[in-house]
Amino acid sequence: MTPAAEASTRQTVDAVDDAQVRLRVRPRRLRRTPALRALVRETRVYPAMLVAPLFVRPGSGMRQPIESMPGQARLSPDVAAEEAARLADLGVGGIILFGLPEGKDPFGTGASADDGIVQDAFRRIRALQLPLVAIADTCMCEYTDHGHCGPLAADGSIDNDAALRRLAEIAVSQARAGADIVAPSAMMDGQVAAIRAALDAEGFGQTAIMAYAAKHASAFYGPFRDAADSAPAFGDRRGYQMDPANGREAMREMALDVAEGADILLVKPALSGLDLIAAARARFDLPIAAYQVSGEYAMIAAAAERGWLDGRRAMLEAVTAIVRAGAGIVLTYAAGDIATWLRDER
Ligand code: PBG
């Protein structure tokens, strides 16, 4: 054989060898049966890692459907307590309460009222001694007449340091009513430190803080603002919530919240922040939570209503991806549904 022919033969033999090696490696072997797939599944969602947001409104015996969030409703405190009991029965890990007060004012006074709507609901839930974690969203946008997350300064901007005083009062009143965790979501600078100091000073050293550390100014909060009647009356939240384009800034916000004493870090929205969830998981050793927000829920629920996709599969896929990215806690409006579905998953 000429050297050229020999080289060409060698190449052919190598190619055949390569092909055989490639065919020995067959990832599909482990996808063959449901049992094999269950055995090698890397990510599982458990009811205990889910937190269900509940909207509490005045009244009794009330369950008022929320149009923009199919399957969700505004509940009076007594019904919210029943719902919490139902979720606890399903093994759901926690609930987070949002309040829709009777009246609003410039300071969001209702958010820290001892007889406030959320405080009332916490007391009823506490009385049931349910095996789930009671979390309070600590903000005032549902309680201010202008719909912003803090009191206004003379120039119409949000007064950060006045907001800190209010957030501290709100957190203390929520802890007093029985919240295990307070979750500041106002994106004010220094909010975790201010709340930690106030809780400790008032004897609530055991109340934990789940910091909405990386919260983007997101269009995906639309349905929530309709549900909670909390859309800003003027302007938007871009002066305090983060630009969705920024990931390094999100890491900086999280590091600040760790330094200020946060117990849990939360990323929000979840599906558009999967990279941040993964980065947070790698960088910090605190529990990482993610919020599958109203718009993420509504997109799937609305498409499912129209028969455009399988709502159950899509919801499970989205929440599984959030857990795969690194979240150990997921806030989701589908918590009850998912806990029910998981009963027949293996
Ligand atoms: C309060 C708050 C909001 C959400 C959680 N806490 C509204 C907002 O920032 O406008 C949104 C949750 C959701 O969309 O499901 N600041």
Side-chain angles (χ1 to χ4, degrees):
M1 252 197 267
T2 63
E6 207 169 311
S8 142
T9 305
R10 189 68 257 147
Q11 263 180 6
T12 308
V13 170
D14 284 352
V16 170
D17 278 356
D18 280 356
Q20 276 173 347
V21 166
R22 269 198 296 273
L23 285 170
R24 263 183 256 130
V25 180
R26 291 179 185 270
R28 285 186 54 193
R29 282 183 197 119
L30 298 180
R31 299 178 198 147
R32 197 169 50 82
T33 68
L36 278 165
R37 293 194 289 273
L39 190 71
V40 300
R41 185 156 302 132
E42 297 174 29
T43 307
R44 280 191 168 75
V45 176
Y46 296 97
M49 71 194 334
L50 303 178
V51 174
L54 301 180
F55 296 100
V56 191
R57 50 147 296 152
S60 70
M62 289 275 316
R63 183 181 281 274
Q64 176 186 42
I66 300 167
E67 220 164 291
S68 57
M69 299 176 69
Q72 302 297 310
R74 303 178 191 89
L75 314 172
S76 53
D78 55 330
V79 177
E82 285 168 20
E83 180 64 7
R86 184 185 77 89
L87 292 163
D89 248 16
L90 284 167
V92 168
I95 45 135
I96 179 164
L97 299 187
F98 294 92
L100 287 89
E102 201 92 61
K104 307 189 187 219
D105 65 30
F107 309 101
T109 309
S112 55
D114 258 332
D115 58 353
I117 187 75
V118 155
Q119 287 79 358
D120 180 6
F122 274 122
R123 288 203 178 87
R124 290 170 193 263
I125 291 166
R126 259 292 82 87
L128 299 177
Q129 300 196 312
L130 303 171
L132 50 64
V133 178
I135 307 175
D137 183 82
T138 305
C139 193
M140 63 209 89
C141 57
E142 301 117 62
Y143 299 86
T144 51
D145 49 14
H146 45 74
H148 279 290
C149 300
L152 303 181
D155 66 357
S157 68
I158 314 308
D159 184 338
N160 192 89
D161 298 15
L164 294 186
R165 287 188 287 277
R166 288 292 299 130
L167 289 166
E169 289 168 4
I170 296 167
V172 167
S173 88
Q174 293 168 333
R176 189 170 288 131
D180 298 302
I181 299 180
V182 295
S185 63
M187 287 302 279
M188 295 296 133
D189 293 336
Q191 61 183 11
V192 171
I195 288 173
R196 184 70 273 157
L199 288 172
D200 290 352
E202 297 290 328
F204 297 105
Q206 290 302 313
T207 305
I209 300 178
M210 177 167 76
Y212 284 79
K215 177 172 174 178
H216 283 142
S218 171
F220 294 114
Y221 308 150
F224 174 98
R225 292 179 188 174
D226 170 41
D229 184 26
S230 65
F234 63 89
D236 55 40
R237 302 209 203 291
R238 287 180 234 208
Y240 40 107
Q241 298 179 352
M242 267 191 317
D243 184 341
N246 293 359
R248 286 187 295 272
E249 186 187 352
M251 300 315 287
R252 189 159 172 258
E253 283 279 5
M254 286 193 251
L256 283 169
D257 282 358
V258 172
E260 289 181 29
D263 299 284
I264 299 172
L265 295 175
L266 186 142
V267 174
K268 172 183 175 194
L271 212 52
S272 55
L274 291 179
D275 56 332
L276 304 179
I277 297 171
R281 179 65 295 155
R283 175 125 31 130
F284 303 106
D285 289 327
L286 269 59
I288 303 296
Y291 199 147
Q292 183 191 43
V293 298
S294 56
E296 298 177 68
Y297 171 87
M299 286 192 295
I300 294 174
E305 272 189 347
R306 289 170 194 214
W308 289 352
L309 49 69
D310 178 335
R312 171 175 168 162
R313 283 191 56 204
M315 203 67 85
L316 278 172
E317 185 175 324
V319 171
T320 301
I322 293 163
V323 175
R324 191 192 67 226
I329 302 168
V330 184
L331 283 64
T332 168
Y333 298 96
D337 288 341
I338 292 173
T340 308
W341 299 332
L342 288 177
R343 287 172 164 177
D344 40 75
E345 299 275 321
R346 60 182 292 160

